[in-house]
């Protein structure tokens, strides 16, 4: 009788929640089918390996110790939960079913770990209260933790009553197995209190435990599609479907008719839609976002949540709101520096930056962009630079040299130097460009530049959502590059480096591109430059477009080592570097709602380092941003911003005075 | 309400003016041209009116060179029609001549208001809108910073005077308005959108004859500096002495 009831209940719950789950998931899949295509089924082997490392070793999650460990406990519990489900349902449907002592032990072990995980999670949420949870659905978090806890209690409860209820319910006589140590200990309690002797109590206790366990598992299943814990189902496929195209490439080739603007959910690709529902609201992205830290109205987590909620509202029959400038505000979108720290931190590999850039593209199409930014976009279109200077003045910086740089459009060169806007036009950077030229000259490199044939690389234009302008600029550069004969491209500016290396590929360019830190390191290793030890203690700032987006972390560090420079790392370095605030066009935009500049935050981080008084950069924009940061933090006496090339010039004895224009 | 917006290109001052110092002529063909920024303001104001009260906006340019991109950009921003007046024109065409051909075209249509930039770098005294109004025999208001439709055939204008004085004007249409600034900064037209419009939209071409110019430019020269700054050199004492001497020379120093 009792057993029939349990069987019937199990079947009803299974069909009910299963149907409910599918009915809730189907619309989400429906939206994904409406969305744009993206190829995520290439490189299956590599994808699988990556997925295994991230899922079973929690590679990225472990970057945050407490969260990583507690998540690993709870996650393992889910894997083990399947054994328990088989065990519990097996007992009901196949009298005498037994998974064996070993598995009993494993289940109980993991029940313990999960309970510890839950206690840690509650401690983290209620006591530590990390800022990253701000804006997340806290209630949802507690509901889920509560449900998991109840399932665990259910497991122990029905296990402990099983030996006493089984004779009545299933007409079998299992023995009390000490390997299932939790059930065993609790059963001892029932024996001691005499509860075990009452068949009705044992029966009720068992059924209650069973319902808490299996019933709650089904309830959980029904609850998931409306909860951030949908990631339990979606995280693994999402990680499998992660981006494998060049990391620094913002968007794959764009269909010219469709453009890259995201106005409605249909303009995203299906992986973008999947991302929205995979987000766990953990806030790791928010915690590392420089715009968020600067008090601007942007949180990458909220962008994802806002988009997801908009899709949900639409699915529920609500009027669709415009995504750009409506669901996600223009202020949020223009605050992003495209530094990529959010993507780097996200445990489920959500791609925030292409979404933000696509939404920006929609704003741009509607003409919504501030005046100073517009001026830069128009300047790129007309003169090819952001300085509102004539194109023909681009090579003016090279005039102050006592040798002539080859015109790579006219004669073959070994290295073709793509100089970039800042290094060409900014008076403070022109000095650095000459220094780099003299270093190359000293090393005997056969190099040349494109003179007026070069225009801005378009890296920032693309990140501002101006795909058309990016294409125009890229095509101009490619036309000039086509005419030139060279063996490799040499760049000083990480933004140009990224464009040439990762974005021009879709327009047919595939020549080797190197950053000066890599190239100079080679020159030293080949003995073409011989630095003397400088005996300095410095710290180094990884530029986002060199480090995070292009994974060049070691070359600059080795270069420093070769110059006898002691490197003291800031807490945020390498892949976790903290953006200067200039990227993604931010350097030209108005500072809306900023309470603290990212560059100042970064400078204060450097100032905490003992006896370090050189802040080494490897990007012209960094030079500009951090020189200003030194001034606005009043630390001119304490810290000097210096480019790697300046250090190298000093180390090889180029007679450039070190106390240059910095303070001017 | 049917609005016409006059657009033109002017030499790009980011580049240097191409001046033949010997022949004392401007080399019009050797300069690059950009849309006049005041015309951008006029267009923006017209588009704001369109959004507010549903006007129809026609942009008009005289074909003095490459004006297509400028017209397509205006269409991409939201103008409804683009008209290019073609004929035997070149970049050296004077504002008077432009006003003449534009007025001829406008006279044949039924526009309620014509908006133009109040001035341009080649028209710093802002003749163009006045000339157009004169040829048409329409009223004209300049240095306008706001145009609103006030029901029926009335417009309300906001005009700025020196010293921060502002006038509110009311006028009947048709009228020619020289716009100093729009209520909002001009909107942006993305490259892709302009390209797309260039593929799908058309520019109406209207033939016109050019009138004989009444004034002819005789020569173009760079202004000769009337005086120049004296650089004071030397160590600090010498510099101070020299400054004191200069102040004394000019009777600017009173000794106690
Ligand atoms: S890219 Fe950087 S600035 Fe933009 S949302 Fe991500 S972390 Fe924030
Ligand atoms: S986007 Fe990623 S990092 Fe950000 S809250 Fe969601 S899951 Fe966490």
């Amino acid at each position: 009788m009792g057993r029939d009831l349990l069987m019937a209940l199990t079947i009803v719950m299974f069909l009910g929640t299963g149907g409910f789950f599918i009915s809730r998931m189907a619309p989400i899949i429906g939206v994904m089918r409406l969305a744009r295509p993206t190829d995520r089924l290439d490189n299956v082997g590599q994808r699988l390996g990556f997925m295994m490392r991230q899922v079973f070793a929690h590679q990225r999650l472990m970057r945050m110790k407490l969260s990583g460990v507690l998540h690993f406990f709870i996650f393992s519990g889910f894997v083990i939960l399947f054994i328990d489900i088989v065990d519990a349902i097996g007992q009901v449907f196949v009298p005498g079913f037994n998974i064996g002592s070993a598995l009993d032990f494993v289940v109980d072990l993991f029940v313990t770990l999960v309970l510890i995980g839950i206690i840690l999670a509650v401690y983290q949420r209620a006591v530590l209260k990390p800022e990253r949870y701000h804006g997340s659905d806290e209630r949802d978090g507690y509901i889920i933790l509560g449900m998991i806890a109840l399932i665990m209690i259910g497991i122990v409860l029905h296990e402990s009553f099983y030996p006493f209820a089984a004779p009545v319910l299933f007409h079998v006589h299992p023995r009390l197995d000490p390997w299932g140590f939790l059930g065993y200990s609790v059963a001892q309690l029932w024996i001691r209190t005499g509860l075990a002797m009452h068949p009705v109590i044992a029966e009720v206790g068992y059924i209650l435990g069973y319902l808490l366990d299996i019933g709650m598992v089904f309830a959980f299943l029904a609850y998931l599609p409306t909860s951030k814990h949908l990631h339990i189902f979606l995280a693994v496929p999402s990680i499998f479907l992660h981006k494998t195209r060049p990391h620094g490439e913002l968007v794959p080739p764009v269909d010219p008719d469709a453009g890259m603007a995201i106005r409605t959910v249909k303009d995203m690709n299906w992986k973008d839609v999947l991302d929205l529902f995979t987000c766990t609201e953990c806030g790791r992205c928010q915690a590392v976002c420089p715009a968020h830290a600067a008090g601007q109205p942007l949180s990458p987590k909220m962008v994802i949540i806002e988009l997801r909620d908009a899709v949900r509202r639409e699915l529920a029959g609500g009027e669709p709101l415009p995504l750009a400038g409506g669901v996600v505000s223009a202020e949020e979108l223009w605050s992003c520096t495209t530094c990529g720290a959010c993507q780097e931190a996200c445990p489920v590999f959500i791609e925030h930056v292409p979404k933000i850039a696509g939404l920006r593209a929609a704003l741009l199409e509607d003409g919504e962009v501030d005046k100073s930014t517009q001026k830069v976009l128009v300047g790129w279109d007309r003169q090819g630079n952001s300085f509102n200077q004539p194109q023909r003045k681009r090579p003016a910086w090279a005039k102050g040299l006592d040798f002539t740089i080859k015109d790579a459009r006219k004669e073959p060169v070994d290295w073709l130097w793509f100089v970039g806007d800042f290094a060409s036009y900014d008076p403070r950077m022109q000095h650095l460009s000459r220094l780099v030229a003299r270093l190359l000259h000293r090393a005997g490199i056969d190099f040349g530049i494109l003179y007026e044939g070069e225009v801005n690389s378009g890296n920032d234009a693309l990140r501002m959502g101006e795909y058309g302008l990016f294409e125009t600029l890229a095509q101009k550069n490619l036309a000039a590059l086509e005419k030139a004969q060279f063996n490799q491209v040499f760049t000083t500016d990480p933004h140009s480096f990224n464009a040439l290396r990762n974005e021009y590929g879709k327009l047919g360019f595939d020549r080797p591109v190197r950053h000066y830190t890599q190239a100079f390191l080679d020159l030293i290793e080949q003995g073409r430059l011989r630095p003397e030890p400088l005996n300095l203690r410095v710290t180094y700032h990884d530029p986002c477009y060199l480090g995070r987006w292009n994974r060049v972390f070691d070359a600059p560090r080795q270069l420093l080592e070769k110059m006898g420079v002691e490197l003291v790392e800031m807490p945020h370095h390498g892949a976790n570097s903290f953006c200067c605030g200039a990227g993604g066009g931010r350097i030209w935009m108005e500072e809306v709602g900023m309470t603290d500049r990212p560059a100042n935050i970064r400078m204060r981080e450097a100032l905490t380092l003992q006896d370090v008084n050189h802040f080494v950069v490897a990007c012209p924009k960094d030079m500009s941003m951090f020189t200003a940061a030194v001034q606005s933090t009043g630390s001119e006496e304490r810290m000097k911003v210096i480019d790697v090339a300046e250090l190298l010039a000093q180390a090889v004895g180029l007679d450039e005075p070190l106390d240059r224009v910095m303070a001017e | 309400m049917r609005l016409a917006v006059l657009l033109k290109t002017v030499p790009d001052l980011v580049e240097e003016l191409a001046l033949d110092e010997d022949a004392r002529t401007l080399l019009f063909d050797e300069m690059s041209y950009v849309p006049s920024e005041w015309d951008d303001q006029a267009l923006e104001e017209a588009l704001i009116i369109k959004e507010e009260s549903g006007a129809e906006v026609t942009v008009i340019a005289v074909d003095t060179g490459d004006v297509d991109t400028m017209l397509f950009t205006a269409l991409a921003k939201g103008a409804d029609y683009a008209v290019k007046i073609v004929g035997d024109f070149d970049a050296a065409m004077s504002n008077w001549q432009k006003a003449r051909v534009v007025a001829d075209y406008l006279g044949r249509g039924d526009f309620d208001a014509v908006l133009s930039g109040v001035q341009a770098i080649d028209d710093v005294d802002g003749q163009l809108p006045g000339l157009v109004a004169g040829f048409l025999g329409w009223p004209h208001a300049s240095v306008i910073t706001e145009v609103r439709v006030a029901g029926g055939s009335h417009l309300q204008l906001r005009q700025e005077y020196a010293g921060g004085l502002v006038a509110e004007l009311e006028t009947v249409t048709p009228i020619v308005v020289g716009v100093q600034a729009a209520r909002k900064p001009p909107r942006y037209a993305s490259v892709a959108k302009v390209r797309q419009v260039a593929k799908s939209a058309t520019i109406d071409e209207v033939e016109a004859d050019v009138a004989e110019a009444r004034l002819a430019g005789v020569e173009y020269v760079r202004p000769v500096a009337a005086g120049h700054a004296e650089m004071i050199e030397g160590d600090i004492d010498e510099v101070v002495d020299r400054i004191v001497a200069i102040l004394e020379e000019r009777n600017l120093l009173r000794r106690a």
Side-chain angles (χ1 to χ4, degrees):
Chain A
M1 195 356 235
R3 178 178 163 231
D4 293 342
L5 184 74
L6 276 182
M7 290 206 294
L9 257 180
T10 308
I11 292 171
V12 168
M13 287 191 300
F14 174 76
L15 293 176
T17 48
F20 186 78
F21 183 79
I22 291 170
S23 75
R24 285 301 181 91
M25 290 306 289
I28 297 177
I29 293 167
V31 175
M32 285 170 61
R33 294 172 67 124
L34 284 180
R36 291 198 180 145
T38 173
D39 184 10
R40 300 294 175 122
L41 294 173
D42 51 346
N43 311 321
V44 173
Q46 186 210 330
R47 286 177 183 280
L48 274 177
F50 184 82
M51 183 180 92
M52 291 303 190
R53 287 195 300 285
Q54 296 302 339
V55 174
F56 293 106
H58 271 41
Q59 212 173 48
R60 183 170 275 187
L61 266 170
M62 284 302 174
R63 285 194 196 158
M64 278 188 170
K65 280 289 157 325
L66 174 62
S67 314
V69 168
L70 78 84
H71 189 275
F72 192 73
F73 285 178
I74 299 180
F75 163 79
S76 337
F78 270 91
V79 178
I80 302 305
L81 186 61
F82 281 102
I83 305 176
D84 163 69
I85 294 173
V86 170
D87 185 26
I89 295 181
Q91 283 172 359
V92 172
F93 283 78
V94 187
F97 182 86
N98 189 350
I99 51 165
S101 301
L103 287 181
D104 268 342
F105 174 76
V106 172
V107 169
D108 277 12
L109 180 68
F110 276 90
V111 166
T112 317
L113 291 180
V114 169
L115 287 171
I116 294 173
I118 289 173
I119 291 166
L120 290 176
V122 170
Y123 171 74
Q124 164 156 289
R125 274 177 193 273
V127 184
L128 299 182
K129 290 196 179 129
E131 203 274 343
R132 65 188 169 97
Y133 284 140
H134 184 83
S136 303
D137 188 347
E138 292 275 345
R139 221 186 95 233
D140 185 40
Y142 282 118
I143 288 178
I144 290 288
L145 287 174
M147 282 180 148
I148 301 174
L150 285 179
I151 293 174
M152 296 304 129
I153 292 170
I155 292 177
V156 179
L157 198 62
H158 81 75
E159 238 187 80
S160 68
F161 277 117
Y162 181 61
F164 317 118
V168 197
L169 279 171
F170 311 123
H171 312 294
V172 291
H173 298 273
R175 64 183 180 88
L176 203 49
D177 185 356
W179 281 106
F181 60 93
L182 286 178
Y184 183 82
S185 331
V186 179
Q188 297 305 322
L189 190 72
W190 306 149
I191 294 172
R192 251 177 245 162
T193 52
L195 291 179
M197 301 307 126
H198 297 276
V200 181
I201 292 185
E203 207 178 338
V204 170
Y206 176 83
I207 293 178
L208 191 69
Y210 181 81
L211 288 181
L212 273 184
D213 178 353
I214 300 302
M216 198 51 78
V217 166
F218 284 123
F220 195 74
L221 202 63
Y223 179 73
L224 276 187
T226 45
S227 149
K228 67 182 177 112
H229 278 75
L230 198 48
H231 81 265
I232 293 170
F233 281 95
L234 299 184
V236 178
S238 275
I239 294 174
F240 176 79
L241 298 165
H242 72 278
K243 173 182 172 193
T244 52
R245 289 182 66 93
H247 188 53
E249 183 188 56
L250 179 71
V251 283
V254 163
D255 170 4
D257 293 326
M260 70 178 266
I262 299 177
R263 292 176 180 280
T264 70
V265 58
K266 293 193 198 83
D267 301 327
M268 290 191 247
N269 68 45
W270 58 260
K271 169 64 167 48
D272 283 329
V273 179
L274 182 64
D275 278 355
L276 305 184
F277 292 95
T278 311
C279 174
T280 71
E281 299 187 18
C282 71
R284 282 172 169 76
C285 53
Q286 175 177 309
V288 295
C289 174
H292 187 78
Q296 288 186 287
L298 170 67
S299 151
K301 174 182 77 178
M302 294 315 291
V303 170
I304 301 296
I305 295 180
E306 284 158 0
L307 290 172
R308 182 199 63 200
D309 290 350
V311 177
R312 278 204 199 283
R313 267 197 308 277
E314 239 177 273
L315 285 178
E319 265 303 297
L321 291 169
L323 296 183
V327 169
V328 187
S329 74
E331 291 74 30
E332 286 175 85
L333 294 171
W334 291 124
S335 296
C336 176
T337 71
T338 71
C339 71
C342 46
Q343 295 193 191
E344 189 72 35
C346 180
V348 289
F349 295 83
I350 284 174
E351 295 150 50
H352 311 73
V353 185
K355 294 180 189 57
I356 291 176
L359 291 163
R360 283 176 162 192
L363 291 178
L364 269 186
E365 278 186 2
D366 295 338
E368 277 182 55
V369 52
D370 73 50
K371 238 167 77 187
S372 43
T373 313
Q374 225 183 97
K375 212 171 144 193
V376 171
L377 293 171
V378 170
W380 276 330
D381 195 20
R382 289 190 190 149
Q383 288 94 30
N385 68 74
S386 56
F387 285 78
N388 214 14
Q389 292 274 328
Q391 178 116 355
R392 76 191 145 70
K393 286 210 181 142
R394 198 170 188 97
W397 63 270
K399 287 212 183 98
L401 291 166
D402 50 11
F403 55 92
T404 316
I405 300 181
K406 280 188 179 174
D407 187 339
R409 295 169 303 175
K410 297 189 181 135
E411 51 187 319
V413 293
D414 187 8
W415 292 13
L416 186 140
W417 181 4
F418 190 95
V419 189
D421 279 12
F422 270 73
S424 299
Y425 288 103
D426 188 311
R428 288 167 304 176
M429 265 22 104
Q430 289 178 333
H431 154 92
L432 267 176
S433 304
R434 284 191 289 272
L435 209 53
V436 170
R438 292 173 61 201
L439 282 166
L440 293 177
H441 191 63
R442 159 78 70 96
I445 297 296
D446 172 25
F447 72 102
I449 59 176
L450 291 171
Y451 282 80
E452 340 18 38
E454 178 189 305
V455 293
N456 180 280
S457 70
N459 199 61
D460 287 318
L462 183 57
R463 278 150 186 82
M464 288 151 94
E466 243 296 23
Y467 193 86
L469 184 54
F470 156 74
E471 234 176 11
T472 310
L473 293 168
Q475 242 118 32
K476 282 186 192 166
N477 283 322
L478 288 173
L481 286 166
E482 191 115 310
K483 270 190 254 157
Q485 274 184 48
F486 57 93
N487 294 318
Q488 60 165 310
V489 179
F490 169 83
T491 58
T492 28
D493 163 32
H495 301 258
S496 311
F497 175 65
N498 187 66
L500 286 153
R501 192 171 184 228
N502 298 315
E503 304 285 8
Y504 282 20
K506 51 180 159 283
L507 304 172
F509 183 71
D510 65 346
R511 305 296 297 276
V513 185
R514 327 205 54 211
H515 187 249
Y516 66 147
T517 51
Q518 299 170 309
F520 282 144
L521 182 64
D522 283 356
L523 294 182
I524 294 175
E525 277 166 359
Q526 292 159 9
R528 299 174 80 160
L529 286 174
R530 297 178 191 281
E532 297 290 325
L534 289 173
N535 299 321
L536 288 173
R537 237 169 101 85
V538 308
T539 190
Y540 168 72
H541 168 79
D542 289 274
C544 303
Y545 279 91
L546 183 66
R548 213 158 18 231
W549 289 115
N550 282 292
R551 315 318 276 184
V552 179
F553 300 120
D554 298 338
R557 289 178 168 78
Q558 288 167 8
L559 187 59
L560 290 175
E561 201 187 304
K562 300 260 184 234
M563 296 190 269
V565 167
E566 184 194 345
L567 173 63
V568 184
E569 297 281 12
M570 285 181 269
H572 293 97
H573 64 270
N576 299 319
S577 179
F578 190 83
C579 177
C580 73
R586 283 290 327 157
I587 196 166
W588 302 285
M589 290 179 202
E590 285 153 17
E591 297 184 333
V592 184
M594 205 177 267
T595 51
D596 199 357
R597 293 204 185 98
N600 293 359
I601 299 176
R602 183 60 158 167
M603 191 47 68
R604 286 197 296 273
E605 185 179 355
L607 289 169
T608 60
L609 304 176
Q610 291 281 306
D611 302 321
V612 169
N613 39 32
H614 285 83
F615 187 98
V616 180
V617 296
C619 166
K621 284 195 184 109
D622 277 334
M623 178 55 91
S624 162
M625 296 302 280
F626 289 120
T627 307
V630 163
Q631 281 163 12
S632 59
T633 54
S635 33
E636 291 101 324
E637 301 295 311
R638 166 82 168 72
M639 193 66 87
K640 182 186 207 76
V641 182
I642 193 162
D643 192 280
V644 188
E646 288 175 287
L647 285 180
L648 185 58
Q650 210 188 8
V652 300
L654 276 186
D655 52 349
E656 200 70 18
L658 248 180
D659 51 323
R660 68 190 145 73
V661 273
M662 193 184 88
E664 277 173 19
Chain B
M1 178 96 14
R2 295 190 66 209
L3 303 176
V5 179
L6 309 184
L7 301 180
K8 66 175 190 178
T9 58
V10 292
D12 186 357
L13 290 188
V14 167
E15 308 283 341
E16 267 179 41
L17 290 179
L19 187 67
D20 184 333
E21 310 259 359
D22 302 324
R24 302 197 161 194
T25 51
L26 262 182
L27 305 169
F28 285 98
D29 293 339
E30 284 178 24
M31 293 188 284
S32 53
Y33 291 82
V34 293
S36 170
E37 52 180 298
W38 283 275
D39 292 349
D40 261 354
Q41 301 285 343
L43 173 62
E44 184 61 32
E45 191 64 21
L47 295 172
I48 295 173
I49 301 170
K50 175 181 169 180
E51 283 159 4
E52 259 173 14
S53 48
E56 181 188 282
V57 177
T58 304
V59 287
I60 300 166
V62 180
D63 185 19
T64 51
D66 180 21
V67 295
D68 289 12
T69 313
M70 176 174 71
L71 290 172
F72 284 130
T73 305
L75 290 173
K77 287 183 178 183
D80 302 287
Y81 303 102
V83 173
K84 178 163 77 171
I85 305 181
V86 295
D88 187 16
F89 312 138
D90 59 26
M93 189 178 185
S94 75
N95 283 307
W96 185 87
Q97 289 171 307
K98 279 181 204 159
R100 185 81 248 183
V101 292
V102 167
D104 282 349
Y105 172 75
L106 290 169
R108 295 197 300 271
D110 57 346
F111 291 102
D112 297 299
V114 178
L115 276 66
S116 156
V118 66
Q119 59 175 356
I121 57 151
D122 65 353
D123 182 22
V124 277
D125 43 356
Q127 294 185 5
L128 189 94
L131 285 168
V132 171
F135 289 134
L136 288 166
W138 291 4
H140 161 234
S142 258
V143 205
I144 299 300
T145 54
E146 189 171 326
V147 182
R148 280 180 197 274
V149 179
S153 54
H154 283 69
L155 286 183
Q156 259 172 11
L157 309 174
R158 189 183 156 96
Q159 192 175 41
E160 300 210 340
Y161 289 84
L165 207 61
V166 171
E168 293 273 358
L169 310 174
E170 188 159 309
T171 166
V172 289
T173 56
I175 182 174
V176 179
V177 181
V179 177
Q180 166 75 25
R183 278 170 266 168
K184 279 196 308 205
R187 64 198 68 191
Y188 181 70
S190 70
V191 171
K193 202 164 169 195
V194 175
R195 231 184 260 158
Q196 195 189 341
V197 166
K199 263 191 249 162
S200 58
T202 47
I203 294 175
D204 297 329
E205 297 198 1
V206 179
E207 300 253 1
D209 290 327
V210 63
E212 188 76 37
R214 305 267 185 93
L215 293 176
V218 178
E219 59 174 27
Y220 291 89
V221 290
R222 280 184 209 288
V224 183
H228 53 84
E230 177 188 340
M231 298 305 290
I232 305 172
E233 282 170 25
D235 66 21
I236 183 144
D237 290 331
E238 289 164 7
V239 172
V240 168
D241 286 346
R242 180 70 194 123
I243 292 176
V244 170
I246 293 171
L247 293 176
E248 270 175 345
E249 266 167 37
R250 301 190 183 200
N251 258 337
L252 291 168
L253 207 63
R254 200 165 48 209
R255 293 192 189 268

